[in-house]
Amino acid sequence: MTITIIVEGKNDRSRLRRLLAPEVDILCTFGTLNTLKLESLRRKVGDDEIYLYMDNDSSGKRIRGILRDAFPDAGHLYTRRGYAGVEGTPEEYLITQLEKAGLEDFIIYPKPLPF
């Protein structure tokens, strides 16, 4: 099974890339969506299992709404209000959300700090 996560920006993608196995595709909307970009995302996703991980702000909610219509079977991952988007969310919280979505097989857990 191939997994694809769609995020808003490249900083969101790089934040998640450190926590996920290379076989998980992470695609960006770059903060905007038009018909061409939406069609490009559809082609890239194909039959993959898809998740949407948008910021908890007005722009993120708008993009999530558009993507929800385009990918009705997508899973939804959320940041907590008050975090500076996906890129500003602590790794522990990102990992918790990925685990809740059932993606623990794809998580690269950070090494514990030595005492």
Side-chain angles (χ1 to χ4, degrees), residues 22-72:
E23 62 263 21
V24 176
D25 288 331
I26 303 173
L27 304 177
C28 295
T29 67
F30 297 106
T32 60
L33 280 175
N34 57 35
T35 305
L36 290 175
K37 191 175 285 187
L38 201 52
E39 192 53 41
S40 174
L41 286 172
R42 280 192 183 116
R43 278 194 311 276
K44 289 176 183 175
V45 168
D47 293 329
D48 293 359
E49 186 173 337
I50 185 166
Y51 294 88
L52 307 176
Y53 209 162
M54 307 295 130
D55 296 346
N56 192 10
D57 59 12
S58 60
S59 175
K61 290 175 183 177
R62 182 183 54 77
I63 291 170
R64 183 185 296 276
I66 294 167
L67 292 173
R68 181 182 296 126
D69 291 341
F71 302 102

Side-chain angles (χ1 to χ4, degrees), residues 86-103:
V86 174
E87 70 182 89
T89 300
E91 283 187 353
E92 301 81 30
Y93 191 81
L94 292 172
I95 289 170
T96 300
Q97 295 307 301
L98 294 167
E99 288 172 339
K100 283 182 181 178
L103 299 175

